[in-house]
Amino acid sequence: METMNINMGDFGNSQKRQMPIVLLLDASDSMKIERRIDALNRGVRGLFTTLAKTRTSAVEFYVAVIVFKDKEAYIHQEYKPLRDMQWTDIQESGCTPLASALHKAKDIIEDTSKLSTKSYRPTVILISDGYPTDDDSEWQEEMRRFTKEGRSAKADRFALSVTGAAKDVLKQFVVNEKSHMMDVEDVSMIIEFMRWLSQSISQASTSQDPNKKSKIDDLTEEVHKQAQEPDPDFGNIDINSINFEALM
């Protein structure tokens, strides 16, 4: 992959507030079909690289990545500043333990020792290509807790259903299905979905009120419109090569 040096030294001061981004990513065995996992990894790299290049005096991006596969979700990337992250691509295997992923994500968002009470509203992104393999009562209860209780209920929540899988599950995750959920058949649209989100978060971070993202009526329409002008570099830069020196 191409490498890139970005000097962020003119950025930082202690007045910046956290802008949290939490990813819940399905890496079950079916994600190897049509190389979905490759598109997902590229999309995540592109998201992080876009945020790393964003010039903003108001926020500092904090990220966490939770991967659900096999029998239990695990924290692939601990919640920390983007500048401190060392990314490794996700590998697919096993089942789709969504309940565990929701539980771990909620633990992060509700933990005020990590995610400051003064932080901006979290953005939470859920991507899956299959129905949960947990007991129905288990994932339904975790979904209810995540979307109805505490700080996670107030988060900006987006969902991507890959090849129409578990749409009835994922639509429970979002407030507005049309503006915050998308169903993709073409694997390349995973990348476009992440590109659109990266631009949306980046633009919000430089606005007068980073808690307010641009309102849209139809997420699918917006992403497909963007895809007409593809960015071949998106996700093809090594995030670990970015130079965050002197970022405070």
Side-chain angles (χ1 to χ4, degrees), residues 107-142:
D107 282 350
I108 291 171
I109 293 172
E110 304 299 339
D111 186 349
T112 56
S113 70
K114 295 180 179 179
L115 199 155
S116 168
T117 57
K118 296 181 179 180
S119 67
Y120 290 106
R121 186 181 299 117
T123 298
V124 188
I125 304 161
L126 171 60
I127 299 177
S128 182
D129 77 335
Y131 201 82
T133 50
D134 320 275
D135 291 340
D136 284 350
S137 60
E138 187 177 2
W139 73 256
Q140 287 170 358
E141 173 59 14
E142 292 296 344

Side-chain angles (χ1 to χ4, degrees), residues 164-175:
K167 289 175 65 175
D168 58 326
V169 174
L170 297 186
K171 70 181 181 182
Q172 297 177 43
F173 185 73
V174 299
V175 174

Side-chain angles (χ1 to χ4, degrees), residues 24 55 73 96 121 139 156 167 177 180 188-189 193:
L24 288 77
R55 288 342 194 228
T96 313
R121 186 181 299 117
W139 73 256
D156 290 324
K167 289 175 65 175
E177 182 179 352
H180 283 72
S188 68
M189 294 307 294
F193 171 78

Side-chain angles (χ1 to χ4, degrees), residues 8 16-21 48 51-52 59-65 77-87 113-115 239-240 244 247-248:
M8 310 282 281
K16 290 189 175 185
R17 290 168 61 184
Q18 294 182 25
M19 178 171 274
I21 299 103
F48 291 156
L51 299 183
V59 311
E60 181 171 9
F61 299 110
Y62 274 64
V63 300
V65 179
Q77 176 63 60
E78 295 281 354
Y79 182 73
K80 63 176 61 178
L82 177 60
R83 58 185 158 89
D84 293 338
M85 186 190 69
Q86 286 293 310
W87 176 251
S113 70
K114 295 180 179 179
L115 199 155
I239 183 66
N240 297 323
F244 290 93
L247 180 62
M248 298 180 184

Side-chain angles (χ1 to χ4, degrees), residues 30 32 46-47 49 73 96 109 111 125 149 153 181 195 241-242:
S30 58
K32 71 174 61 172
L47 169 68
T49 302
T96 313
I109 293 172
D111 186 349
I125 304 161
E149 298 179 359
M181 178 175 163
R195 183 158 75 102
S241 71
I242 294 178

Side-chain angles (χ1 to χ4, degrees), residues 91-245:
Q91 304 298 319
E92 77 291 332
S93 68
C95 303
T96 313
L98 177 61
S100 177
L102 291 168
H103 187 91
K104 291 181 184 298
K106 186 167 183 64
D107 282 350
I108 291 171
I109 293 172
E110 304 299 339
D111 186 349
T112 56
S113 70
K114 295 180 179 179
L115 199 155
S116 168
T117 57
K118 296 181 179 180
S119 67
Y120 290 106
R121 186 181 299 117
T123 298
V124 188
I125 304 161
L126 171 60
I127 299 177
S128 182
D129 77 335
Y131 201 82
T133 50
D134 320 275
D135 291 340
D136 284 350
S137 60
E138 187 177 2
W139 73 256
Q140 287 170 358
E141 173 59 14
E142 292 296 344
M143 182 71 77
R144 185 199 65 78
R145 291 181 62 247
F146 196 96
T147 60
K148 304 299 183 185
E149 298 179 359
R151 293 202 292 176
S152 61
K154 301 176 183 178
D156 290 324
R157 302 187 303 273
F158 292 87
L160 180 68
S161 170
V162 181
T163 66
K167 289 175 65 175
D168 58 326
V169 174
L170 297 186
K171 70 181 181 182
Q172 297 177 43
F173 185 73
V174 299
V175 174
N176 185 314
E177 182 179 352
K178 194 166 185 180
S179 63
H180 283 72
M181 178 175 163
M182 183 174 174
D183 173 28
V184 298
E185 294 292 337
D186 186 336
V187 171
S188 68
M189 294 307 294
I190 298 174
I191 298 168
E192 293 300 332
F193 171 78
M194 294 298 285
R195 183 158 75 102
W196 182 89
L197 276 174
S198 69
Q199 293 172 355
S200 175
I201 297 169
S202 177
Q203 290 169 5
S205 74
T206 60
S207 67
Q208 290 186 340
D209 184 358
N211 269 333
K212 292 184 178 179
K213 296 182 177 63
S214 300
K215 293 184 178 180
I216 62 169
D217 295 323
D218 190 322
L219 176 59
T220 299
E221 181 179 313
E222 291 295 319
V223 173
H224 278 276
K225 185 187 303 181
Q226 170 194 265
Q228 295 174 10
E229 298 181 6
D231 178 0
D233 292 330
F234 183 81
N236 286 327
I237 293 171
D238 182 2
I239 183 66
N240 297 323
S241 71
I242 294 178
N243 179 9
F244 290 93
E245 71 177 17

